[in-house]
Amino acid sequence: MKTLKNNPLTMICLCVCLCAAALIAFVTVYAAPAPSTIQACYNNTSGALRRVNSPADCRYHEASISWNIAGPAGPQGPAGPQGTCPACGGANVMTFRHTRTVANTCGPFNNFSVMDNPAINGNANALVFVTAIVGINAGRTNTNPNSSMNLTYTGSASFGTCPAGRWIVAGGDIATGAQFNVMVVGP
């Protein structure tokens, strides 16, 4: 025993062998496939049922029985509705970000911005919700000095320099580069 303790190479080999044996045992247990059947023994006199690992575990007064864990596949169910928002009463919801640019600035005083999106262009009945993206600047003041917003549909006639049949937004941050989150709820 003294020779084992004094020989570091022997101790290292012994530790490596023990670790390898433990690893093999661990992998063997967890790598085994899950059983696909349940094995049990039915007591012929009392009617008791007990789970066992193999039919050989049943006693002389017990019958070996087994059954599959998964039953046969059932028929495929009907397809559900697609592309709807349950919380919106079946309406389709679409979102986009609108950025105010020099090209889309319009109105009698250039204080409106035209939103150009196929979901709302020419659609006076669209439900359009707009929020301005605002923040706090380095001076700890709001970047949106004009907090009131106005969302308007121009209808069949133009409004100042704004084209007809378009949704326009005013207020919020009126500087070029201002951004707005837009949500459109359609039928």
Side-chain angles (χ1 to χ4, degrees):
M1 188 67 168
K2 208 173 205 185
T3 307
L4 274 178
K5 288 183 182 178
N6 293 336
N7 189 344
L9 183 60
T10 305
M11 292 303 290
I12 290 172
C13 288
L14 182 63
C15 287
V16 168
C17 289
L18 288 174
C19 289
L23 180 64
I24 290 170
F26 179 78
V27 169
T28 303
V29 168
Y30 286 101
S36 60
T37 59
I38 296 174
Q39 186 67 45
C41 297
Y42 173 75
N43 188 313
N44 295 329
T45 56
S46 69
L49 186 67
R50 65 183 181 96
R51 190 177 189 288
V52 294
N53 292 327
S54 76
D57 294 337
C58 292
R59 297 180 186 124
Y60 70 92
H61 61 280
E62 294 176 327
S64 172
I65 60 172
S66 65
W67 59 92
N68 289 336
I69 289 177
Q76 184 173 355
Q82 190 172 6
T84 60
C85 167
C88 304
N92 292 319
V93 176
M94 194 265 305
T95 61
F96 64 93
R97 178 158 297 169
H98 171 70
T99 303
R100 182 187 295 267
T101 64
V102 172
N104 66 23
T105 299
C106 66
F109 306 106
N110 284 333
N111 57 338
F112 286 89
S113 181
V114 178
M115 292 188 285
D116 184 18
N117 189 286
I120 59 174
N121 291 350
N123 185 358
N125 295 321
L127 295 174
V128 183
F129 301 92
V130 179
T131 57
I133 300 173
V134 298
I136 303 295
N137 60 23
R140 304 300 298 158
T141 60
N142 194 342
T143 59
N144 180 6
N146 182 2
S147 59
S148 61
M149 288 182 44
N150 180 357
L151 181 64
T152 305
Y153 185 73
T154 58
S156 59
S158 61
F159 176 71
T161 58
C162 300
R166 294 295 181 88
W167 286 91
I168 57 177
V169 62
D173 187 352
I174 59 172
T176 300
Q179 294 188 329
F180 303 87
N181 286 326
V182 183
M183 179 174 73
V184 181
V185 180

